[in-house]
Amino acid sequence: MTDTTTHHYWQGAFIGDDEAADRLAALPAAVEAALAEPLDTETVLAACDALAEALRDPGHPLRERLAPHLPAVGGADGPAAEELFAELAAFLGRGSLTRKLHRELGGTAPQRLTRPDAKETVYEAWAPVGLVAHIAPGNAATVAPLSLIEGLLAGNVNVLKTSGADTLLAQHLLAELAAQDPTGALAERIIVLRFPSSRQDWLRLMCAPADAIAVWGGEAAVEGVAAHVPAGCRLVEWGHKISFAYLTRDGWADEETLTALARDICLFEQQACSSPQVVYLDTEDAGELHACAERLAAALAARPAPAGTELDPAEYAELTTTEHLARLEEHLGFTRVLAAPDGTWRVIADTRPALTASPLHRTVWVKPLPRKNLIATLRPMRRYLQTAGIAGSRTDTAELSALVLAAGATRVTPVGAMTAGYSGEPHDGVYALQRYSRRVAVQADRRFAATACLDDLARPVAFPAPAGPLLDKAAVQDLNRGVDRGDAELYFRSGGSTGTPALSLFTYEDYDTQMHAAARGLLAAGYDPARDRTANLFYCGGMYGGFISFFSILERLGGVQMPMAAGPDHRATAEMIIAYEVDTLFGMPSYLWQLLHEASDLLRPYGGIRKIYYGGEHFTEEQRRTLTETYGIEVIRSITYGSTDLGPLGYQCTHSTGSVHHLHADLHTLEIVETDADRPVAPGETGRLVFTTRARRGQHLDRYVIGDLGRALPGRCPCGSHAPRFELLGRLGEVMRVATYFLNHRRFVAIAQERLHYSGEIQTFLTSGPVREVLTLRMERTDSLDPVAARDAFLAAYPEVRSAVAEQLLDFTVEPVHGAALDRTPTRGVSGVASCGRGPGRRCRVRTRRRFPRRRLRPPPRSAAA
């Protein structure tokens, strides 16, 4: 929209002056309404990243829409326009913003009330200040919109004033940002007005309800706003700063250093606060001063001429006045002026060390300042200092950095990189997001011991609905091959239990985010880092990341741990458990079962193990009963539900039973779709679990079909959390279709436990017989197993099997076999995963996996289980 009568953008709509005046009068009410719903940081990140992608695409229509509002910098297709689009895209990319959030606010969800010390029921978060008013400068096109986006990252409502002489770039860019957010939450927090500073009534109405006011500009701009700052409002000054270079003798003797310094001077025509205005030399010798000035003048003369931008009268007057005064002082022996014949650059050598502002436009002072006088000379100007570019030896750089920082500079760089920055860099000595935020805390009592995040009790996390095609493991591996090397810092290899082993890639920031989430899940499951003494008995090495991950999780919880790892010497492990007074075990059920029974003569008298947190498999109900009654285990819960590709997906709370988990809703979105189509299942029905991960910088894993089956559980959990719940119902391959019936291997396992008190292994085979399909359950042979009685029990408890048999669609048998006859895969512990193959001679079987020889795993004596 180019109509100049509607040059204000207000919460999703372009409006004119009259309507803007009316809305300004009601600004407090608009702010209160917008703040009623918290803003998830992920909403901001997703919209910004989408906008960045559009800005990078030369053919995207968004660039055409913004083109009429670009500053007059050589046309919308010129190099300056490309540079502006690139600058915006670099700032708005997910990678840049997540690094900024991690540096400034500690993570990508800083607004969530979590426990900084897991041993205490104290919750802290970064909360928005409320309304941030941004007063933007008129000489930097990108400052205005990017300042407002910083306010959004902190969760604030934002009102931005641009100069009356500015284009409508900020208005339209921020409107495009709001359009990337389907929730409308961003639009509610964006107000952009264009009016001159002389319009004091509007400025007063804009500032009156503000909780923080960010002012970009010099002292005059700050003074003009200060009169409107209400009591208690935070004034954030982003004022004009002075930067300088400091050269030791080694530095000014080096031609490359002077060339780099000339580049710093010419880049942006010294319009950036980080551009050098003064060059200091570590000397008191006037001869060295003049010699260096001449060589610097030669380096400036070698630079390309500046673009033909006309100076305004005030700038031209300041330039000529400074040069003429310096030429007059040449007669007093204070100065020497070296200038280009065409007036495009000036080097003014001055024997007086006092810091002097430059009139800019390639005009630089060269002054002597021995390091012994550095603090005394510069400290009086400390409030104006910003960047110091230092050229010298490694020792000089270290010593001089300490001196210039003590004098008041906030930033030190090499000469040649003074105007360059890095993602997440503090600005003028502070982090912007912290200036736009408040650190808040909630103290709670022991009723909240298992509540890791207070927000989960208050509201559900809501992300935009996922879109796009379903991804399988092969598609994700293809995506991995396209991950940038900078985003592939940590490699985990999957165990290969459900296919060929594959690599999963993470940044360390992603890994840290996931480990913190898993740690919160452990708290919800009843883990107490202040009291529990834990043995980490997951497998270490090979293809397993479990041991490393839970070491990291316990580290973040501050829990006491003995990282023993799973090993074949069970008695040695048991002795360590007793010696270190371990009361909590982490590990795989198959290994923990072996450990407890191989060393039962030590561990049963010890009686100190109270909690087991397991991963990878499930304990059967019979095994749980044995652990409780024989070993006195009080808590047996899943340690997490997750995958190598996606990280932690779900967790159990103290009210979770069986395979019921809460979703890590701050990390992922869960869909449940039909087994044979991309359609949502009916409420409560079983389907494929499809995850979209939200908290990854390096990868976008959208709608990943993980291969598990489950169903959503209705209603809110008794624990009080709003996080969705789901029940795991096995792997996709464990479901067999017989005519119109879907049969699940896990249902057979559950019936065997409940009706037959069977704790052995079961394999399910589905084959095509000459007349009908044949389903065979292979069970370990025991003295008490009667195949006829077992068949009757299954038919009585499984209506679908009974109906299929009654309708003569299926032959069903139970076959007792020796354990050695069961099919097995070579890796991991004992668990069952069905692999369906249909057609003549093909079968659906559960591949039973075992790490240790068969003789090492034996059920407890029947008398112990009774």
Side-chain angles (χ1 to χ4, degrees):
M1 184 177 293
T2 59
D3 184 355
T4 58
T5 62
T6 56
H7 48 232
H8 311 294
Y9 178 78
W10 191 291
Q11 294 181 316
F14 282 89
I15 60 175
D17 281 3
D18 292 342
E19 189 171 354
D22 293 339
R23 294 195 182 192
L24 267 173
L27 180 58
V31 172
E32 291 165 8
L35 288 174
E37 288 294 327
L39 177 64
D40 285 315
T41 310
E42 173 58 30
T43 302
V44 185
L45 292 175
C48 287
D49 196 50
L51 182 59
E53 288 294 322
L55 290 169
R56 291 189 192 101
D57 182 359
H60 199 284
L62 179 146
R63 290 176 41 138
E64 294 181 16
R65 295 194 294 270
L66 292 178
H69 311 291
L70 296 178
V73 289
D77 298 325
E82 283 299 322
E83 185 177 319
L84 186 146
F85 284 137
E87 179 186 349
L88 289 170
F91 180 90
L92 293 168
R94 179 180 286 271
S96 296
L97 294 184
T98 54
R99 279 191 291 268
K100 184 178 181 68
L101 283 164
H102 272 279
R103 282 182 181 272
E104 301 191 26
L105 299 181
T108 53
Q111 76 284 356
R112 290 174 63 79
L113 280 161
T114 57
R115 289 153 65 166
D117 184 343
K119 299 176 183 178
E120 301 173 346
T121 53
V122 173
Y123 302 85
E124 292 185 8
W126 287 103
V129 294
L131 173 65
V132 179
H134 305 260
I135 315 297
N139 64 344
T142 60
V143 165
L146 298 187
S147 180
L148 188 141
I149 288 168
E150 287 182 324
L152 286 174
L153 283 171
N156 293 288
V157 179
N158 300 268
V159 55
L160 167 66
K161 172 199 172 301
T162 62
S163 167
D166 279 350
T167 70
L168 297 180
L169 176 63
Q171 285 84 341
H172 285 269
L173 181 71
L174 292 167
E176 295 286 357
L177 174 67
Q180 305 297 326
D181 169 31
T183 71
L186 294 189
E188 286 294 304
R189 287 167 167 78
I190 300 175
I191 300 169
V192 190
L193 307 172
R194 186 177 77 164
F195 62 91
S197 297
S198 59
R199 199 162 188 172
Q200 291 291 297
D201 56 335
W202 277 32
L203 190 60
R204 182 175 60 257
L205 289 171
M206 173 181 165
C207 294
D211 300 286
I213 299 175
V215 186
W216 297 81
E219 291 182 341
V222 174
E223 289 175 1
V225 173
H228 302 293
V229 177
C233 178
R234 184 181 298 174
L235 182 62
V236 183
E237 299 181 36
W238 304 115
H240 290 165
K241 300 292 182 181
I242 298 177
S243 297
F244 60 91
Y246 193 94
L247 280 56
T248 65
R249 183 170 281 100
D250 290 341
W252 78 66
D254 180 39
E255 290 297 329
E256 290 185 6
T257 298
L258 293 179
T259 299
L261 178 57
R263 184 168 59 250
D264 278 340
I265 294 168
C266 296
L267 192 62
F268 305 127
E269 304 302 325
Q270 294 178 292
Q271 297 298 303
C273 289
S274 54
S275 300
Q277 299 187 38
V278 181
V279 178
Y280 281 118
L281 307 181
D282 187 10
T283 184
E284 295 179 290
D285 188 287
E288 290 180 324
L289 175 73
H290 293 147
C292 180
E294 290 177 359
R295 295 173 61 230
L296 178 57
L300 285 171
R303 298 294 301 170
T309 304
E310 292 291 330
L311 302 181
D312 64 37
E315 291 175 314
Y316 185 75
E318 186 181 8
L319 272 173
T320 56
T321 299
T322 300
E323 181 178 345
H324 289 158
L325 287 174
R327 289 190 183 278
L328 288 173
E329 290 186 321
E330 283 185 343
H331 301 291
L332 302 175
F334 293 136
T335 59
R336 182 181 175 191
V337 178
L338 304 169
D342 59 359
T344 55
W345 56 262
R346 296 157 197 83
V347 176
I348 305 173
D350 188 343
T351 58
R352 295 161 295 187
L355 187 69
T356 307
S358 163
L360 310 180
H361 302 287
R362 304 195 183 192
T363 302
V364 65
W365 297 89
V366 181
K367 294 169 173 275
L369 180 58
R371 68 181 72 188
K372 64 183 180 182
N373 299 332
L374 193 149
I375 292 181
T377 301
L378 295 181
R379 183 163 166 73
M381 299 291 287
R382 59 189 176 277
R383 62 177 299 198
Y384 301 104
L385 300 181
Q386 193 207 63
T387 303
I390 295 177
S393 68
R394 293 175 67 246
T395 301
D396 286 333
T397 299
E399 293 176 355
L400 290 168
S401 294
L403 286 174
V404 299
L405 292 175
T410 60
R411 186 171 176 267
V412 176
T413 74
V415 168
M418 292 182 64
T419 59
Y422 58 88
S423 182
E425 183 178 16
H427 184 64
D428 289 350
V430 297
Y431 282 136
L433 299 188
Q434 292 185 6
R435 299 292 284 150
Y436 301 153
S437 303
R438 300 169 295 134
R439 190 64 176 171
V440 297
V442 176
Q443 297 183 20
D445 54 40
R446 293 305 299 174
R447 292 177 301 161
F448 294 83
T451 301
C453 178
L454 211 56
D455 296 76
D456 290 339
L457 303 182
R459 66 186 182 97
V461 176
F463 291 138
L470 298 174
L471 300 178
D472 59 13
K473 185 176 287 290
V476 170
Q477 289 301 302
D478 288 340
L479 289 175
N480 281 347
R481 285 186 275 273
V483 172
D484 186 88
R485 280 290 184 94
D487 292 328
E489 297 167 332
L490 187 59
Y491 290 69
F492 276 114
R493 193 179 185 203
S494 73
S497 61
T498 56
T500 303
L503 283 177
S504 296
L505 312 177
F506 298 86
T507 67
Y508 279 111
E509 288 177 358
D510 294 342
Y511 178 74
D512 182 65
T513 297
Q514 294 189 349
M515 294 304 98
H516 276 291
R520 292 193 294 272
L522 258 179
L523 290 177
Y527 183 79
D528 186 349
R531 296 174 176 81
D532 295 347
R533 299 176 59 82
T534 307
N536 182 352
L537 296 174
F538 280 98
Y539 296 114
C540 181
M543 295 185 290
Y544 297 92
F547 178 83
I548 299 169
S549 297
F550 288 103
F551 181 95
S552 300
I553 290 164
L554 285 169
E555 180 183 25
R556 283 153 179 80
L557 287 171
V560 176
Q561 70 167 308
M562 291 76 181
M564 300 176 186
D569 192 341
H570 297 127
R571 295 194 67 81
T573 300
E575 288 168 356
M576 293 176 68
I577 288 172
I578 296 168
Y580 297 147
E581 299 180 353
V582 168
D583 57 20
T584 303
L585 304 182
F586 286 6
M588 302 280 283
S590 57
Y591 175 79
L592 297 178
W593 183 264
Q594 293 174 60
L595 169 66
L596 290 168
H597 289 85
E598 288 287 327
S600 62
D601 59 324
L602 297 176
L603 295 176
R604 288 179 67 178
Y606 168 57
I609 300 174
R610 299 180 299 105
K611 298 180 180 180
I612 285 179
Y613 292 98
Y614 63 86
E617 311 155 18
H618 288 286
F619 284 107
T620 67
E621 287 303 317
E622 187 74 12
Q623 289 172 329
R624 285 173 179 268
R625 186 161 43 250
T626 299
L627 293 174
T628 300
E629 296 176 358
T630 305
Y631 294 93
I633 311 297
E634 301 168 8
V635 174
I636 305 170
R637 289 200 180 94
S638 166
I639 197 167
T640 192
Y641 164 61
S643 78
T644 309
D645 295 312
L646 293 170
L649 299 168
Y651 63 92
Q652 290 199 322
C653 69
T654 55
H655 293 267
S656 298
T657 58
S659 58
V660 173
H661 290 75
H662 284 277
L663 176 69
H664 277 296
D666 53 337
L667 300 184
H668 313 284
T669 299
L670 171 63
E671 302 170 85
I672 302 179
V673 303
E674 294 183 357
T675 56
D676 55 358
D678 185 6
R679 290 191 302 269
V681 299
E685 292 297 317
T686 299
R688 292 177 291 170
L689 303 185
V690 179
F691 292 92
T692 295
T693 183
R694 301 291 184 181
R696 291 283 280 274
R697 188 187 87 204
Q699 289 176 299
H700 296 285
L701 299 181
D702 295 341
R703 308 201 74 211
Y704 184 9
V705 183
I706 196 172
D708 287 339
L709 293 170
R711 66 186 182 96
L713 299 183
R716 191 171 172 184
C717 181
C719 75
S721 175
H722 284 275
R725 291 181 299 158
F726 59 96
E727 182 180 13
L728 294 171
L729 297 173
R731 297 286 296 173
L732 183 61
E734 292 178 353
V735 173
M736 301 153 281
R737 182 165 183 170
V738 177
T740 59
Y741 300 106
F742 287 97
L743 307 181
N744 193 318
H745 166 77
R746 293 203 178 198
R747 186 83 174 272
F748 289 110
V749 173
I751 293 170
Q753 295 168 12
E754 296 167 4
R755 298 295 183 95
L756 304 174
H757 301 291
Y758 176 80
S759 60
E761 298 169 90
I762 298 177
Q763 288 185 331
T764 311
F765 292 83
L766 182 64
T767 58
S768 296
V771 178
R772 60 186 66 88
E773 292 182 298
V774 178
L775 178 64
T776 303
L777 287 187
R778 303 179 75 188
M779 303 175 67
E780 291 182 272
R781 186 187 305 276
T782 66
D783 293 339
S784 61
L785 178 63
D786 180 348
V788 176
R791 180 179 186 275
D792 291 342
F794 285 118
L795 290 173
Y798 208 149
E800 290 83 358
V801 177
R802 186 170 63 250
S803 297
V805 171
E807 295 168 14
Q808 297 187 349
L809 301 173
L810 179 72
D811 288 335
F812 174 59
T813 62
V814 174
E815 177 185 352
V817 298
H818 290 291
L822 295 172
D823 290 347
R824 306 184 184 280
T825 58
T827 62
R828 299 190 61 169
V830 177
S831 63
V833 175
S835 175
C836 289
R838 303 300 299 275
R842 301 183 69 189
R843 62 187 181 181
C844 173
R845 74 185 184 197
V846 177
R847 298 193 302 275
T848 305
R849 301 183 296 264
R850 189 180 308 282
R851 174 175 295 274
F852 296 100
R854 171 72 192 165
R855 60 181 177 82
R856 289 188 179 275
L857 179 64
R858 54 179 182 266
R862 177 58 57 188
S863 59

